[in-house]
Structures are given as C-alpha cells and as structure tokens.
Amino acid sequence: MSGNDEKPAERLPLFADEPKLRRRRAWSGIFGVLILAAAFGGIVGLIAGQVPGLIVAAVVALPLLYVVVFAYRRRIWLEGTTLIVRTWGIRRVDLLEAPRLDVVISDVRGSRTVALLVNAGHRRRAVKLDLAVFSGTGGRELGALQLRRLADAVLNNTEANGLVFSELLVAELRSEARGDGVAERPLYRLASAAPSGKYLQRFPMEAVSRFVATL
C-alpha cells in the first residue's frame, strides 16, 4: 500500500439508535393517526354518508402517516465533514462548504429542541440536526464524541462563520466536563433565551456569536 493512502473517515451516528424505542414510537404514531382519521371520517360519515366519510378519513390519514414513516426512516451520520442524511434516499451535505449555518429552537408542549440548520445549497433543502432536547430543568443531548466531531467539522467553514458554532459546542463540552447541571450549560441557556409561544425560531450566526461572547 502507498504511504499516501488515507483511511476512510469513520461514519458516526448522530442519533440515539434504540430500535425498540423507535419502533414503539412509530407504532404509537400510526395508531394515533388511525384513531384521528377514524374520528373525522366517522363524523363526516354520520352526516354525509359512508363514502364521504371514507374519503375524509383517507385525506386525514395519508399525510400524517407519511410524516410518521418519514420520521422513522430519517437518520443522520457524520463522516469527516460530511452529513449523510437518509430518508427515502441518501443525501450528502458538506459542513465545510455549507453556505449558511443557523441555530433553530423549536418549542412543542413545553419541550425545547436546539438544532443546527444547515443550508445545503444548490437548491437542495436544508438539513436540521437536533443537538439537544430540554424539558423543565432536564433533557438529553448528543454525546460528547458527536459534539466534538461536529465542532471540528464546522470549524474551518469561513463562509458560514462556522467558528462561532464550533465555539458554542466546545463551550458545551467544557461545561459538561466541569460537571455543570443541565440548566447551567450553554445549549440549555440558549434554548431558555428564546421567547416562548413560537413553534420554531431561527437564530442566525450573528445572534449566536453575541451569545457565545457572554460565555
């Protein structure tokens, strides 16, 4: 073998791979969709007849079932500086060349999710990568290895100011290493700083930079 041969980058999963839990959630979602569709279809069926009721049930069920199956199939890995996203197919997004990086915070039923939104460029859809989910003063985050690899992957992205995002993740790792409680960590503090009442909020790198400067 040539001395210049390079070992392929390790593919690191960026999700909690618990097959039984994922299947349980998927079946729970499917049953919920069927109950909802049956309820709407039953109401319309009583008023307008069986055929309209079945049509309404199908109209309600099909899009929701698509969402449930889509979420079940969606997986993200990090290979070097490349995100590999699997849904119905495979997409690759290079974090080093992404033209834009943003932090997005979603608020659903008291749980806040902090995620990285990567603009894939070339008219492709953005990739949302969840970093942490918080509820009350507790929650769960990506592991230390995943956060470290992500910080390294975006560090040299000068176009999207990836250094700022890298500093945020490094600050999170340092906080964990010090033994800080969840409520004291940067990702939790960033999630708490977002105004309530909005389902999804985008924090551009300028806002993240100001936050990181306070850490």
Side-chain angles (χ1 to χ4, degrees):
M1 293 181 63
S2 169
N4 295 327
D5 290 343
E6 295 184 1
K7 182 180 178 180
E10 176 188 358
R11 181 177 290 190
L12 180 68
L14 299 179
F15 54 87
D17 192 10
E18 300 178 11
K20 291 183 178 180
L21 180 60
R22 287 192 287 111
R23 285 195 294 269
R24 191 181 306 122
R25 287 176 177 172
W27 281 114
S28 177
I30 290 172
F31 288 139
V33 168
L34 293 178
I35 290 172
L36 185 64
F40 276 94
I43 292 172
V44 173
L46 290 174
I47 298 172
Q50 183 178 11
V51 173
L54 291 174
I55 293 174
V56 169
V59 169
V60 171
L62 291 178
L64 295 177
L65 286 174
Y66 175 86
V67 172
V68 171
V69 177
F70 181 91
Y72 176 75
R73 286 188 53 82
R74 190 176 189 269
R75 293 291 176 272
I76 302 181
W77 295 266
L78 180 64
E79 189 175 89
T81 64
T82 301
L83 288 179
I84 301 173
V85 186
R86 188 203 78 181
T87 49
W88 308 115
I90 298 291
R91 284 194 297 152
R92 292 175 176 266
V93 179
D94 193 342
L95 290 171
L96 192 59
E97 299 179 355
R100 179 171 177 174
L101 299 171
D102 295 302
V103 171
V104 293
I105 298 176
S106 57
D107 188 350
V108 181
R109 296 180 181 177
S111 293
R112 293 196 172 194
T113 301
V114 183
L116 173 66
L117 188 66
V118 183
N119 187 325
H122 307 295
R123 296 184 179 181
R124 294 181 295 176
R125 293 177 300 174
V127 175
K128 179 175 172 287
L129 171 60
D130 291 346
L131 303 173
V133 180
F134 301 110
S135 180
T137 57
R140 56 185 176 85
E141 306 160 346
L142 281 180
L145 177 60
Q146 286 87 344
L147 293 176
R148 178 73 260 180
R149 293 282 182 84
L150 279 173
D152 292 341
V154 300
L155 177 62
N156 295 317
N157 185 331
T158 55
E159 183 178 356
N161 203 9
L163 175 60
V164 171
F165 183 75
S166 180
E167 289 176 343
L168 173 64
L169 295 186
V170 170
E172 180 73 15
L173 289 169
R174 288 174 177 167
S175 181
E176 291 184 20
R178 289 194 302 266
D180 293 343
V182 173
E184 300 174 281
R185 298 176 187 173
L187 290 180
Y188 182 93
R189 291 166 56 189
L190 185 60
S192 300
S196 59
K198 293 184 178 180
Y199 171 70
L200 189 68
Q201 301 174 66
R202 184 194 297 260
F203 283 64
M205 274 301 142
E206 293 79 6
V208 178
S209 180
R210 291 194 296 269
F211 174 77
V212 169
T214 67
L215 298 177

